[in-house]
Amino acid sequence: MRFCAHCGVKLANDNPKCPLCDMDTEKIDDEFSLDYPYIKSRFTRGLLIRLISFMAVVFASASFMIDHLVPTGSPWALITIAAIVYVWISAMNLLRHTPNPASIALCQLFCIGGLVFFIDFFTGFYRWSVNFVIPFLIIGAAIATTLMIAIRPMKYRAFTIYQFVIAALGVLSVLLWVFGWSEIEWPVVTAAGVSILCFLAMLVFSYRRTQHELKKRFHV
Amino acid sequence: MSYKNNRSPHSGIDETYWNGLDNTAKLFPSITTTRSPNVFRLCAVLFDEVDPAALQTALEKALAIMPAFALKLNRGLFWYYFDVNNERPIVTMEHTYPCAPIYRAGERGFLFRVTYYHKRINLEMYHALADGMGAVSFMRVLVYCYFNVISGSEVPEEDIRRESDEAARDFGEDSFVINSEECSSESGTKAVREPEAYRLGGFQYDGTRLGVTSAYIPTSALLELAREQGATLSEYVTALLIFSVFNTSYRRSLGKRPITISLPVNLRGMFASNTLRNFFGHMNVGVLPERGASFEDILAAVKERFSKCLTREYFERQIASHVKIERIPGVKFVPIWLKNLIMRGFYKSSEKRHTLTFSNLGKITLPPVIADRVERFEAYIGGSETHVKKTSLCSYGDSLTLSFSSTVDDNSLEQFLLSYLSRKGVPITVSSNETAPPPKKVKPKLSKEEKLRAKTDKKTEKADKKATKKANKAEKKAIKKAKKEKK
Ligand SMILES: [Zn+2]
């Protein structure tokens, strides 16, 4: 133990300085206690987030400047920026969450959907994104989430809510065709059908669990 | 399905259990950030080093006995809710600053954390799950189970089971709502809006760093000091805190704002509740000291304020006003993100009305079988963005711990308070987490010549290795050839 004459207190730890007044202390016996570990300042998640965000801004502005100085007439800079935004959102999603596969799937569904639509739109709008990619993304996400819940219900039953959202998106995707954005009917109808069937399957095979899960989410 | 089948393997809780948050807890998720994690720590200091494996088993046992803590927090459309967490809680060695964040948006883990460091068992709790008293109940069971694992039948498990079964009968109840029936909000006078309080400043640490300083004081010595002045322990320490603020940083301010200590008050005794969730009220004790005010002046003002506030009526009104907000028609159906926004606003304005928080956990007791195996208990309140210092006190037998947690590098308040006590003749031992870095492994400095030699040595080593490899290969080839020739 040590003693600080200035404050008149004994010190349990073996620090040469007094934690209260920062003055030198004297040793009175060899006993001391280890109460807290030494914490190294580490590379934290906050720093990583800032680093990734800053890099995204750097790349985006670089491509913008190059496009401005060397005009090509092609929309490559816009597409690059869209890709950077996609990478940034995915990185934030992965960094913020402890692995939650369903939320990652939903985030990817939105981001990839947005990205392909953007690319398609700026390269002549041949409608391949709305015709095929987005409906098939919805089908993929619906099946993946259903499989997760079916295989490990104990761990993933809280994902019912994501499945519910995906089913809603599937239904909404029919609007793409209704409003004439997509030219081919069968992919959107398939997406709506598959996502609703997946949700129905949950309802049919574990009605009480699904109902319970939705009740929790929407309780007032 | 039978109840038994619904029990998950680790938690022992009914798997379909879920519950809304209690009235006060509803606030916490909306105001939690990395720098205001709303976490507090309880720490049991043993006489021997903690055995990690035994602590792990003890934690699993304790959760089976008190499943009310095996929960995670999920977000619904209108409210947050607790959901069963059937994962296995893992005990780790302490490797972060005290009261590091537990609940972050998107993370769905346990709402508490158990760590150990040498002789210490630390239980850190997210405030939405329980208040200090709830945490003390869990800590008692955890420590009991630890000694049960260590010494077997000497510390029989049945005893703690029986005791906590009794304690946990209404573990999940929202005591605020239940007791609000008998609380009338219009008990005469309208609550006076309290003035904005003086606040401590300073440049805050980065990230989740929290400096903690605890003072170990013999309970009897401090009690005697308080009794000499005709005050209770809470009153005495509150006055001491105000006096210390007054004599340190307050001097540099203009001195127009009151120094206000916010005291959480455990309402379980007052309202005959036994909940393990939150059930506490707040009491703001503010003093506007005149120039050169003595400790006795301040103590007198504090005592007067205590006697005014520590009444059932005062807290009845508080509970009623809390519950009233929840009962506004239509408020239920406001989406959670909007509720969060509103609550954050309310909280920010209420926060301006105190200088410091002082939480008195009071006397902690343990069952007699294990009472002499624990040296003391400590309690710390986690940091906050807006208030740089928090204080708490708890006692166990004759060892009382007064602890300060701080997010600034300025200990003048602690220094003033503790040296004041020490001048009054109270023996004090101080411990702090300002730990010196472990000695670095120093690389011996080499001169240029030696460096060069080392380099060439390495090169020759590499060349040697290559040569031996080549030789080996050649040998193998030769053997193969020989075999072929034989054929
Ligand atoms: Zn000192």
Side-chain angles (χ1 to χ4, degrees), chain B residues 140-168:
Chain B
R140 292 183 77 214
V141 176
L142 179 64
V143 170
Y144 194 95
C145 289
Y146 176 76
F147 288 117
N148 169 258
V149 174
I150 291 234
S151 37
S153 56
E154 255 180 68
V155 184
E157 198 184 319
E158 283 69 43
D159 288 7
I160 197 77
R161 250 179 213 283
R162 205 175 312 125
E163 190 196 302
S164 46
D165 276 355
E166 254 164 56

Side-chain angles (χ1 to χ4, degrees), chain B residues 300-373:
Chain B
V302 167
K303 272 200 269 188
E304 194 200 320
R305 179 79 184 148
F306 259 72
S307 64
K308 227 184 234 170
C309 288
L310 267 181
T311 60
R312 199 184 150 103
E313 286 74 42
Y314 181 84
F315 290 107
E316 271 185 9
R317 207 185 306 141
Q318 209 169 64
I319 292 175
S321 71
H322 281 311
V323 175
K324 206 169 68 188
I325 302 171
E326 212 179 296
R327 295 240 169 103
I328 298 172
V331 96
K332 283 180 188 173
F333 298 101
V334 175
I336 187 77
W337 56 269
L338 192 60
K339 277 189 190 124
N340 281 348
L341 225 64
I342 297 168
M343 281 198 271
R344 230 170 283 159
F346 270 114
Y347 182 70
K348 268 199 177 147
S349 70
S350 78
E351 246 188 344
K352 286 181 184 158
R353 292 183 210 133
H354 66 267
T355 314
L356 270 183
T357 307
F358 168 51
S359 174
N360 185 354
L361 285 179
K363 224 156 89 179
I364 297 176
T365 54
L366 282 177
V369 214
I370 57 164
D372 56 349
R373 302 192 187 198

